[in-house]
Amino acid sequence: MTQEIDLYLRKSAITRQRERALTFRAQEQRGRRWADENGYTVRKVWADNLSAYTDTVRPEFDKAIGALLADEVPALWCYAADRFSRKGAGAVIPLLDEGKRIVFDYERLDSADPRDRRDIINRAEEAREYSSLLSHRVRDTKAQQRDEGAWLGAAPYGFEIADKETRKLRHAGTWSNLIRIFEATAEGKSARTIAQELNAEEVPSPDGISWGGSTIHRMIRSPVYEGWQAVSLTRGGRSVPYRDKRGERVSVLAEDVEPVPADLVKRARLAIAGHLPVAPEYQRGKPKHLLSGLLRCASCGGGTAIHGRSYRCYNYTVGKPCAEPASAMRSLIEAYIFEEWLGAVLKADLDDGDPLMIAVAERWVALTKPEETEEHRQALAAVKAAEKALERLAEDRKAGIYDGAMGRFYPRLVSEAEADLVAAENRAAEFGGAVDLTIFDDTDMLYAAWEVADDAMRRDLIRLAIDQVTVTRGFRGKPFVGEERCVITWATPSQG
């Protein structure tokens, strides 16, 4: 009766001596031939298409060793010692001490022969030393290439390798798609919406499968689109600009190749960080009636909808539960809210620091000077982003990310982040000049402005001073009394 043996196969792209490492198929054929020649039957074939480096988990190897130690099989065949493990003697001595049979075909070593024990241990140590030396050389080579601005992996989306020697990047045919993604993001379109549009148009994605919001976010955040060499400080973590030995960023772009414009990158990143408002054209519909979106039912807290000639609790109109659904005649409640709005605005005084008039002034500028207001918003957003960058650096240091070699760059990174914050604060301080509020100090002028305004302008004017109106349920036969039925939430200044 023949005994059973398992085969362990591992493939690597690395060549050994002058012989190309055998494929899985070739290794298995060789293992089965050994088994036939030595009276064994192959019970199971284990195979890892992974490196044997010490920091790599090889599930099939672990299972093969487990089966051997558990006496599920009396022997294990492996093509060569460096295919088995590169963790050194520690990987083989426990097996030898347990009397387990391990066969290394290439070296013609067999633990069943006591004379081979020393050679097996020595070969294991040689494999470990070779792995360590190779790893060191690879790291040194990659570090030098990074310092020289070579892009080491596959070209990022929108780029291609310009030269195989320098591995610098240039624009590829997908560059226009990349710019489109940055522009749409900067304008306030969500990553999910952009991904859906690209998929609908069958624009090929970086992975060749489909676009996703996370793909868009990673691209917007990647330093490579600013032209910088990028690395991840932690496995699977965000990309950051690589720093050479002098602590300088390294360009990966070929000569005369331009990155994504800096202002566009900045606006896109502020948008995905949530520091910029969603563009109006990407927001859901605007109110169609004067108080649409402002009224709330006091009973259920839901909004209202026009039903006939009245504003009525929306939940109630669609069959959802509401104990005391609010309802108010449109003409009556609109007239009441307008009179309250008019009185409150004319009474408020900016010179006395009235919070209502400060809020009205802020919103009036946004309404009448949208471009200037948008610049101010972007300046304030840049301040928030710079503050967040400083916080992230502190969090990363606390997490130990800068404990290693990158630690020497931490002071410079903090200095740069603080300089960015100061610049952002100075830019934001440029705004905030005098605002002409004459219209809100003159009753006749304000009435006249209201009379000539169209429906859209009237809605905007009302919202200068009012954030919300809570309405209680009325009773049949009882006239509408605004003071009894409505609670107005007046506008307050923004927090910057």
Side-chain angles (χ1 to χ4, degrees):
M1 182 177 177
T2 60
Q3 296 188 82
E4 291 182 322
I5 190 170
D6 283 358
L7 309 182
Y8 176 68
L9 319 177
R10 189 180 66 77
K11 186 175 69 172
S12 170
I14 300 170
T15 57
R16 51 189 321 282
Q17 298 179 1
R18 293 188 178 180
E19 179 184 2
R20 187 107 185 138
L22 294 183
T23 64
F24 281 150
R25 187 174 182 180
Q27 289 182 49
E28 183 175 349
Q29 288 176 347
R30 193 156 174 169
R32 290 186 180 278
R33 185 167 62 248
W34 186 95
D36 289 340
E37 293 172 352
N38 290 272
Y40 279 85
T41 298
V42 175
R43 183 189 75 106
K44 188 172 182 61
V45 176
W46 309 92
D48 279 317
N49 190 15
L50 297 166
S51 167
Y53 291 143
T54 55
D55 61 349
T56 300
V57 175
R58 292 183 291 149
E60 295 295 282
F61 175 79
D62 293 338
K63 292 175 183 177
I65 298 303
L68 189 63
L69 290 172
D71 293 326
E72 295 176 17
V73 65
L76 180 64
W77 176 96
C78 184
Y79 167 59
D82 64 353
R83 301 294 89 188
F84 186 75
S85 175
R86 290 181 180 170
K87 296 183 179 180
V92 295
I93 288 178
L95 299 174
L96 299 175
D97 289 345
E98 288 287 331
K100 304 303 179 181
R101 187 175 188 183
I102 320 169
V103 176
F104 298 106
D105 194 299
Y106 181 80
E107 293 88 356
R108 302 183 185 279
L109 296 175
D110 186 343
S111 64
D113 186 342
R115 293 172 299 180
D116 285 349
R117 176 185 173 96
R118 181 184 297 277
D119 287 337
I120 290 173
I121 294 172
N122 288 341
R123 290 284 185 162
E125 282 296 295
E126 288 172 4
R128 184 190 66 79
E129 291 171 3
Y130 172 77
S131 175
S132 177
L133 177 61
L134 180 62
S135 177
H136 181 73
R137 287 175 177 171
V138 169
R139 284 196 298 268
D140 284 353
T141 299
K142 287 186 176 181
Q144 181 178 348
Q145 289 174 323
R146 285 196 182 99
D147 286 349
E148 294 171 351
W151 187 260
L152 303 183
Y157 187 83
F159 287 115
E160 63 184 9
I161 302 298
D163 182 272
K164 292 182 179 179
E165 293 296 325
T166 64
R167 293 195 64 81
K168 292 283 190 176
L169 301 176
R170 67 185 177 195
H171 299 167
T174 52
W175 182 255
S176 59
N177 292 335
L178 177 77
I179 295 298
R180 168 187 172 182
I181 289 169
F182 270 86
E183 289 177 342
T185 302
E187 290 167 2
K189 190 176 290 190
S190 73
R192 182 175 177 224
T193 299
I194 297 170
Q196 289 173 338
E197 291 178 355
L198 293 171
N199 288 329
E201 296 172 21
E202 297 185 351
V203 176
S205 65
D207 62 8
I209 302 174
S210 63
W211 290 91
S214 60
T215 303
I216 303 293
H217 279 180
R218 284 195 299 271
M219 291 169 63
I220 297 299
R221 293 190 177 105
S222 177
V224 72
Y225 295 113
E226 298 172 278
W228 302 124
Q229 182 75 271
V231 293
S232 296
L233 298 182
T234 57
R235 187 183 296 274
R238 67 181 185 276
S239 294
V240 298
Y242 171 77
R243 303 269 176 167
D244 62 17
K245 295 177 181 178
R246 300 184 303 276
E248 302 292 337
R249 293 176 175 142
V250 178
S251 173
V252 291
L253 301 184
E255 189 175 355
D256 298 327
V257 174
E258 295 293 329
V260 177
D263 179 65
L264 180 56
V265 172
K266 179 180 179 181
R267 289 188 291 115
R269 288 181 180 170
L270 290 175
I272 64 172
H275 296 313
L276 289 181
V278 176
E281 58 266 34
Y282 303 127
Q283 295 175 348
R284 296 186 177 180
K286 286 187 174 182
K288 296 181 179 179
H289 305 284
L290 182 66
L291 302 181
S292 292
L294 287 183
L295 301 184
R296 288 288 181 273
C297 173
S299 177
C300 67
T304 63
I306 290 293
H307 187 82
R309 294 182 296 168
S310 301
Y311 289 98
R312 182 177 292 182
C313 171
Y314 177 77
N315 286 335
Y316 178 75
T317 62
V318 297
K320 294 182 179 180
C322 181
E324 296 183 343
S327 180
M329 186 73 72
R330 177 183 170 187
S331 58
L332 296 178
I333 193 171
E334 286 184 354
Y336 169 74
I337 295 300
F338 169 69
E339 291 296 333
E340 290 296 300
W341 171 86
L342 187 69
V345 169
L346 291 172
K347 180 181 177 181
D349 191 337
L350 183 62
D351 292 336
D352 290 339
D354 191 309
L356 177 61
M357 186 49 64
I358 294 175
V360 168
E362 290 176 344
R363 299 180 185 191
W364 180 244
V365 172
L367 183 63
T368 58
K369 299 179 180 179
E371 292 183 2
E372 180 178 321
T373 303
E374 181 60 23
E375 289 183 15
H376 191 194
R377 284 178 179 174
Q378 290 189 15
L380 292 175
V383 172
K384 292 180 180 179
E387 291 172 342
K388 186 65 178 177
L390 273 171
E391 291 176 10
R392 188 181 298 119
L393 278 171
E395 291 169 358
D396 286 349
R397 187 175 195 184
K398 186 177 180 180
I401 291 177
Y402 291 98
D403 288 347
M406 286 292 289
R408 66 182 185 277
F409 301 134
Y410 184 77
R412 174 179 290 196
L413 294 174
V414 171
S415 178
E416 290 177 356
E418 289 176 340
D420 289 342
L421 176 58
V422 171
E425 290 174 337
N426 290 339
R427 172 62 175 156
E430 295 176 5
F431 298 90
V435 180
D436 185 1
L437 300 175
T438 305
I439 186 176
F440 302 109
D441 280 335
D442 188 301
T443 303
D444 293 336
M445 187 181 294
L446 192 53
Y447 258 119
W450 182 267
E451 289 299 320
V452 300
D454 59 15
D455 290 343
M457 187 62 182
R458 288 184 176 184
R459 287 194 295 269
D460 287 336
L461 288 171
I462 284 289
R463 286 159 178 76
L464 293 178
I466 296 177
D467 283 340
Q468 183 175 296
V469 179
T470 303
V471 186
T472 59
R473 181 182 182 180
F475 295 94
R476 187 180 297 275
K478 185 175 182 179
F480 175 84
V481 179
E483 292 84 353
E484 297 176 357
R485 301 274 310 280
C486 300
V487 176
I488 299 174
T489 301
W490 297 99
T492 56
S494 70
Q495 300 301 311

